[in-house]
Amino acid sequence: CDEEALRCRLKGNQHYMKKQFEVAIEFYNESIRSCQFGDCHYFYAMGNKSALLFETKQFKQCKDIIDSMYAAETFSGLFGSDRKYIGKPNIRLQSCEDQLTLSNDQGPVLKEPETAEIGPKK
């Protein structure tokens, strides 16, 4: 699990840096699927996916992912008040809420692969 999740997340990061967002999201989704719900690799992949969604102005989806991360019981146990990790999602979350307040538009929708199952293995 950990090796596959890490491999997929890093591949997603490579494509993200090249602005190949549709490919990057496939790798982030695969990383999420290959993790156990609530482990650190799950949250790292979710955080990366939220960054991609924010970058592509999909504010509602980005907000939903960050909200789901924070709602998970294991999140605070793993990261607590680690500003290095939770700072970026907090800033993204606030920016998404601001954007959604300014407009009812939820932004463009990045087409995900037809076979993508969102969410981890349980």
Side-chain angles (χ1 to χ4, degrees):
C1 165
D2 292 348
E3 288 180 23
E4 179 66 9
L6 177 61
R7 183 190 71 76
C8 289
R9 186 168 55 84
L10 294 177
K11 291 288 277 181
N13 290 350
Q14 290 172 353
H15 290 283
Y16 178 91
M17 297 302 287
K18 296 176 186 175
K19 306 275 187 211
Q20 298 170 338
F21 299 128
E22 289 184 11
V23 177
I25 205 164
E26 289 180 40
F27 281 106
Y28 293 148
N29 287 337
E30 184 59 32
S31 180
I32 292 164
R33 281 192 298 272
S34 67
C35 294
Q36 292 298 316
F37 175 80
D39 74 8
C40 64
H41 290 287
Y42 171 80
F43 291 118
Y44 288 135
M46 292 287 279
N48 288 13
K49 184 174 178 177
S50 77
L52 183 151
L53 293 168
F54 185 82
E55 172 99 8
T56 58
K57 300 185 183 335
Q58 297 178 79
F59 303 117
K60 172 73 169 101
Q61 295 89 334
C62 179
K63 179 186 178 311
D64 290 347
I65 284 183
I66 296 170
D67 285 341
S68 73
M69 288 169 47
Y70 288 168
E73 292 178 24
T74 55
F75 183 82
S76 61
L78 288 169
F79 299 103
S81 60
D82 182 354
R83 297 258 182 231
K84 179 181 174 193
Y85 184 75
I86 65 170
K88 288 180 182 179
N90 275 338
I91 292 167
R92 249 182 253 131
L93 180 61
Q94 184 60 55
S95 295
C96 287
E97 289 171 349
D98 291 347
Q99 290 295 323
L100 292 168
T101 299
L102 292 173
S103 167
N104 286 336
D105 182 16
Q106 296 180 10
V109 176
L110 182 67
K111 185 176 186 303
E112 292 197 42
E114 298 292 325
T115 59
E117 294 176 25
I118 306 303
K121 294 179 182 176
K122 292 189 181 180

